[in-house]
C-alpha cells in the first residue's frame, strides 16, 4: 500500500461546498479524512453523506475544527475569507510541525470579480503570518470550482501549487493527483497572489459568458506529476 494513503487529512470547513468535494475525492483515493466544523453535529452529518456517496470502506469522520487539526497529519482550510483568520487562529497551536493547505481566495463581496488582496500580499501569505515558522503553508485549489468535485465527472481545471518549500509543494502535488486533477509546481508562496487573483478573473468569465465552472489549463509543458523532475 502507498504509505501516503495512511495519512490523515483534516478539512476545516469541510461541511461547505469546496471542502466537501475535496474530502470526497481524498476519501475515495484512500486517505483517512476528518471533516472539521464549528459544529461537530454538522460535521458528523457531512461525513455520513460522503460515506454514503462512497458506498465503501473509506474513512470519513466528522468532528470540530480543533479536534480535526489536532488529529491530522495535513490540515486543509476551506472556509470563506471572512472566516480565514479566526479559523486559523483557533487551530494554530495544533498545526505546529504540520502542513497547512490553504484553498482560500480573499474575495471581498460584493465586488468578487475584482482582485482585492490583503496587506500580506495574498490569503496564503496571511495564513503564513498567522500560523508562524513551524508550519509549512501551501496554497492550492483556488481556481477549482466545487461543481464537479462531488462525483466522477472530470474536472476541467489544473491546480497551481505554491508554497513555502519545494518539499511541501511536492507533498501537495501528490494530494492534487489523488483528487484526479493535474497539478503544477507554481513556485514560492509569494506567487499565490497570481493564483488567488485568477479566481476573480474566472468569476468574471462565468458571469460574462453564462458559465459556472470556468477553469484554467497549462499548455506547452509535460510531466507534471508530483516529484517527476
Ligand atoms: N466554492 C468554490 O467553488 C471554491 C472554489 C475555489 C476555492 N474556494 C475557496 O474555498 C473556501 C471555501 O469556499 P466554499 O464555497 O466551500 O465556502 P462555504 O461553503 O460558504 O463555507 C465553507 C464552510 O466554512 C465555514 N464557515 C462559513 N462561514 C463561517 C464563519 N463566519 N466563521 C467560521 N466558519 C465559517 C462553514 O463551516 P461550519 O459551519 O461547518 O463551521 C462552511 O460550511 C473559500 O475560501 C473559497 O475562496 C471555493
Amino acid at each position: 500500500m502507498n504509505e501516503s494513503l495512511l495519512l490523515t487529512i483534516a478539512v476545516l470547513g469541510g461541511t461547505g461546498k469546496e471542502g466537501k468535494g475535496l474530502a470526497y475525492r481524498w476519501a475515495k483515493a484512500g486517505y483517512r479524512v476528518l471533516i472539521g466544523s464549528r459544529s461537530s453535529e454538522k460535521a458528523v452529518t457531512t461525513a455520513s453523506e460522503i460515506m454514503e456517496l462512497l458506498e465503501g470502506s473509506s474513512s470519513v469522520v466528522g468532528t470540530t475544527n480543533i479536534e480535526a487539526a489536532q488529529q491530522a497529519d495535513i490540515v486543509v482550510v476551506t472556509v470563506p475569507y471572512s472566516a480565514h483568520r479566526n479559523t486559523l487562529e483557533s487551530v494554530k497551536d495544533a498545526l505546529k510541525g504540520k502542513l497547512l493547505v490553504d484553498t482560500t481566495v480573499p474575495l471581498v463581496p460584493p465586488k468578487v470579480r475584482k482582485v482585492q488582496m490583503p496587506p500580506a500580499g495574498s490569503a496564503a501569505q496571511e495564513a503564513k503570518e498567522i500560523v508562524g515558522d513551524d508550519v509549512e503553508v501551501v496554497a492550492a485549489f483556488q481556481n477549482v470550482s466545487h461543481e464537479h468535485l462531488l462525483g466522477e465527472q472530470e474536472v476541467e481545471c489544473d491546480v497551481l501549487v505554491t508554497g513555502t518549500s519545494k518539499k511541501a509543494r511536492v507533498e501537495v502535488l501528490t494530494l492534487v493527483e489523488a483528487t484526479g486533477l493535474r497539478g503544477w509546481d507554481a513556485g514560492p508562496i509569494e506567487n499565490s497572489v497570481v493564483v488567488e487573483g485568477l479566481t476573480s478573473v474566472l468569476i468574471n468569465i462565468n458571469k460574462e459568458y453564462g458559465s459556472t465552472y470556468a477553469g484554467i489549463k497549462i499548455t506547452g509543458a509535460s510531466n507534471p506529476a508530483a516529484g517527476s523532475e
Side-chain angles (χ1 to χ4, degrees), residues 15-18 37-38 42 79-80 83 103-105 142 144 146:
T15 54
K17 298 179 283 293
E18 188 79 357
S37 168
R38 289 167 293 178
K42 191 174 167 187
V79 298
T103 67
T104 307
V105 180
Q142 305 100 312
V144 180
H146 72 279

Side-chain angles (χ1 to χ4, degrees), residues 12-20 22 35-40 42-43 46 63 65 77-84 86-87 102-107 123 140-147 149 199 212:
L12 312 183
T15 54
K17 298 179 283 293
E18 188 79 357
K20 187 176 178 184
L22 291 172
I35 300 292
S37 168
R38 289 167 293 178
S39 148
S40 56
K42 191 174 167 187
T46 299
T63 182
N65 282 328
V77 61
T78 63
V79 298
Y81 180 62
S82 56
H84 185 242
N86 280 352
T87 303
D102 200 344
T103 67
T104 307
V105 180
L107 297 177
F141 301 104
Q142 305 100 312
N143 306 141
V144 180
S145 163
H146 72 279
E147 293 245 353
L149 286 175
T199 301
T212 51

